[in-house]
Amino acid sequence: MQINLHSKSLKNNPIWYKLKQNKMTWVGLVILGLIVLLSLAAPLISPFDPNKIDLVNKFQPPSSEHWFGTDEVGRDIFTRILFGARLSLGVGILIIIIAAVIGIVIGTISGYIGGIVDTVIMRFVDMILAFPNLILAMALAAVLGPNLQNAMIAIAIVKIPVYIRLARGEAMVLKEKLFVKSAESFGLNKAVIIVKHIIPNAISPVIIQATLDVGDTILLIATLGFLGLGAQPPTPEWGAMISVGWTYLLTYWWYPVFPGLFLFLASGALNLIGDGIRDVLDPKSAR
């Protein structure tokens, strides 16, 4: 009986219904799920070490032994792509979580308190947003030093202002609501009001933006890797692989094509999922 009730509740759930109707979201989930499963099962699927050099077998074309061929030092490209998926997807999601958490905290404080605090924070945000994301990320990564950790910091700094502005806008609306005014009339501390009343009600647009930003963040990581400002060899990262492989495009096409294909599929799948979540959580955008 409980199972029947549970199934009925799922059918009557508007969120579940919207997700079920959005076929492209399911396409994105399937593609992303396959990439994640392949990356987690990489040691079981491939017998090769992603960083082991084998000069005898360098630039081997795709075959039954090396499905995606080998690179300039004989490393199996399929294996490196699978291990690179762990890095690219994991780092992309981690950066967005960090940026969203910091952004929503600063944004809600700015929007709720207002005054000089809001002015100082928003002028700093405007200054960062005045630069294109890629240009600013490149500049910060170059200043901090070319490695993956510094690239993560640079991208997080670029992404944080977006979440600050979103959270600030929600906080400015919420602080005029009756339930916040009631909390203030009872003498609750501002920090308590922000944590218990403002942040939980301001988080929905932040989640929507975060799901849409993961794909863009993975592309930024790959771009910095391509430019030599992100992950450094021999780290199996998609952007770094494409950076080396594109010079061999005309002679050994498989080297840059397969990492680029996986980058395209992962970022496309994440964008499809983000669009679906936006339609579910933001009815205005769906209309």
Side-chain angles (χ1 to χ4, degrees):
M1 183 66 179
Q2 290 181 347
I3 295 175
N4 292 334
L5 288 173
H6 180 66
S7 63
K8 288 181 179 179
S9 64
L10 281 177
K11 291 179 181 178
N12 295 328
N13 189 325
I15 294 178
W16 169 253
Y17 177 77
K18 288 179 181 179
L19 281 176
K20 189 177 179 180
Q21 294 296 109
N22 195 326
K23 293 181 174 59
M24 296 308 295
T25 301
W26 286 102
V27 171
L29 285 169
V30 169
I31 294 173
L32 184 63
L34 286 174
I35 293 174
V36 171
L37 286 175
L38 287 172
S39 68
L40 294 176
L44 302 176
I45 296 172
S46 176
F48 300 102
D49 185 325
N51 295 320
K52 185 178 180 179
I53 295 175
D54 183 11
L55 293 175
V56 175
N57 290 310
K58 67 178 183 178
F59 290 130
Q60 292 293 315
S63 63
S64 58
E65 184 179 3
H66 300 285
W67 293 356
F68 291 174
T70 61
D71 62 12
E72 78 279 10
V73 291
R75 296 172 298 197
D76 184 69
I77 293 176
F78 178 68
T79 304
R80 288 177 61 77
I81 287 174
L82 295 188
F83 280 92
R86 298 180 178 186
L87 185 65
S88 295
L89 293 175
V91 168
I93 293 170
L94 179 61
I95 289 172
I96 291 302
I97 290 173
I98 293 171
V101 170
I102 295 174
I104 196 171
V105 171
I106 296 176
T108 50
I109 291 172
S110 176
Y112 180 69
I113 294 177
I116 187 65
V117 173
D118 180 49
T119 301
V120 171
I121 291 174
M122 293 314 297
R123 294 297 76 77
F124 181 72
V125 167
D126 291 339
M127 181 178 66
I128 295 178
L129 290 176
F131 297 92
N133 285 355
L134 179 58
I135 301 300
L136 183 57
M138 288 169 54
L140 291 172
V143 170
L144 294 173
N147 60 55
L148 183 60
Q149 290 76 17
N150 291 338
M152 291 173 62
I153 294 171
I155 296 172
I157 291 172
V158 168
K159 291 294 182 182
I160 286 172
V162 176
Y163 297 100
I164 292 177
R165 292 188 71 172
L166 275 175
R168 173 182 177 266
E170 291 295 310
M172 292 180 70
V173 173
L174 290 168
K175 71 179 183 180
E176 302 298 329
K177 298 292 184 180
L178 183 60
F179 66 91
V180 174
K181 294 295 184 182
S182 299
E184 291 173 344
S185 66
F186 280 107
L188 287 181
N189 185 274
K190 288 185 177 180
V192 175
I193 293 174
I194 290 172
V195 172
K196 289 190 174 182
H197 298 289
I198 302 295
I199 290 179
N201 289 283
I203 203 168
S204 179
V206 173
I207 292 174
I208 295 170
Q209 184 64 39
T211 55
L212 292 169
D213 267 351
V214 175
D216 180 58
T217 301
I218 290 174
L219 288 175
L220 278 175
I221 295 166
T223 303
L224 292 181
F226 178 82
L227 296 171
L229 297 172
Q232 301 299 304
T235 305
E237 192 271 325
W238 292 343
M241 293 174 67
I242 298 170
S243 176
V244 178
W246 78 272
T247 57
Y248 302 103
L249 178 61
L250 297 179
T251 50
Y252 308 108
W253 60 267
W254 56 87
Y255 193 171
V257 166
F258 287 117
L261 177 62
F262 268 72
L263 178 61
F264 168 76
L265 289 174
S267 59
L270 285 163
N271 283 327
L272 290 175
I273 295 169
D275 286 338
I277 293 175
R278 179 183 59 187
D279 292 343
V280 170
L281 297 181
D282 186 4
K284 294 180 181 179
S285 69
R287 286 198 296 268

